[in-house]
Amino acid sequence: MELLSNQPRYDTVPDKYIFPPEKRPVNNVVNPSINLPVIDLRGGCIDSDIGRDEIIRDIMKAGKEFGFFQVINHGIQAKTLNDMLQVCENFFKMPAEEKKRYYSDDMSRAFFLNSSTQYDQSETRYWRDYMRISCYPIEEFIDQWPENPENFRAVLSEYTVRVREIASKLLKLIAEGFGLDRDYFCGDLSNGTKMKVNYYPPCPDPSLTMGLLPHCDRQLITVLAQGTAACGLQAKYKEGWIDVKPIPNAFVINFGHQLEIITNGVLKSVEHRAITNSGAARTSVAVFIMPDMESFISPAKEMVNEENPPLYKSFVFKDFLRIYTDLSAKRVDVMEAFKING
Ligand code: OGA
Ligand code: NI
């Protein structure tokens, strides 16, 4: 097993983590003056009418311009979020022996630990370890989650429930923003939940390697917590990359391929990547809300008319996942495969 987190520190970047120059962070450098919109969810009580129209407007505007935004005052307690980040950091700190039994690349497992990525065929390894967790329905998976560190299962279940609440509120607001039934995304379009906990150890030379190469998330919507230890996540904006700057207790929200397709391209699934840093380890928790495997996905009929013909094919979600993997998660190739006349 080759987990980065098994070694206390690195003095140099081993060759197998060194990317060819065109894939390094220096390309299309970031515009430092542009920040993602920050949307105040007013305590998460968005079922009341107060301020709802304004929040919907902000989400639609941010969604169309950036495909990414941050939410604050979302109703999840700081303790719930901090406990989650802490227990995940503690997991990666466990001795190699303890972590070894979770190491796998079997996608059918409800929990596994791995390093680098499974989606890129190239030889270079990513500077990250990660755990991938099937989360929902919790009862179906919890027995397969690790029992250590202490409280791991309890903290993860609480976090899953709370994050699903936020996602569900956001999806209702988005549906409303499009004039769809408020519950449009409830049920089989959003029943599934997977989590990826990424751990990026300090890197002796961040200019040579990457934590994650550019990709779009393949699900419906992503709710990401990134702590405040370091900057690392970058979102595509115009021809460059912008930093998604850590804000205490905020969540980063972005749309997956499924939301782009269902909204017939109005809400974009935007590419993002993770760079490393030399100062501190960075842990991020990405929760992906996703359709059931057998769900039928197509542009919503309400989003399509004579002036706006459907841009994407219809498919069953599990077939999308297969093709996404076959195409190594590359946005242009994935979207091309599902475009009409593409
Ligand atoms: C992901 C992802 C970004 C990050 O896991 O899909 O984009 O900041 N993570 O770790
Ligand atoms: Ni991602």
Side-chain angles (χ1 to χ4, degrees), residues 5 37 58 78 98 128-129 149 185 201 203 207 235 242 265 274 283 317 338:
S5 56
D58 289 348
E98 176 77 27
R128 71 142 185 182
D129 293 343
F185 296 106
C203 176
S207 73
I242 56 172
T283 305
F317 183 55
F338 289 93

Side-chain angles (χ1 to χ4, degrees), residues 165-203:
E165 282 170 8
I166 294 198
S168 147
K169 282 175 188 167
L170 289 168
L171 288 168
K172 285 193 165 117
L173 294 168
I174 290 168
E176 217 177 319
F178 281 113
L180 300 168
D181 186 308
R182 265 187 102 182
D183 292 335
Y184 189 90
F185 296 106
C186 297
D188 67 337
L189 289 179
S190 60
N191 272 340
T193 306
K194 295 226 190 281
M195 203 184 277
K196 230 174 219 170
V197 181
N198 303 295
Y199 175 79
Y200 309 94
C203 176

Side-chain angles (χ1 to χ4, degrees), residues 68 128 130 196-200 212-213 215-219 222 224-226 232-234 244 254 272-275 282-288 324:
F68 259 89
R128 71 142 185 182
Y130 67 97
K196 230 174 219 170
V197 181
N198 303 295
Y199 175 79
Y200 309 94
L212 273 176
L213 282 188
H215 68 281
C216 291
D217 298 338
R218 70 206 91 150
Q219 301 84 354
T222 305
L224 178 126
Q226 61 168 339
L233 176 58
Q234 297 183 326
V244 179
N254 67 289
H272 49 286
R273 64 181 194 178
I275 60 171
R282 176 173 176 266
T283 305
S284 69
V285 179
V287 175
F288 306 105
Y324 179 96

Side-chain angles (χ1 to χ4, degrees), residues 30 45 80 105 107 144 151 170 179 207 229 242 244 259 295 329 336:
V30 175
C45 302
T80 306
D105 55 13
M107 296 288 282
Q144 299 163 69
N151 288 335
L170 289 168
S207 73
I242 56 172
V244 179
L259 204 51
S295 285
E336 208 49 48

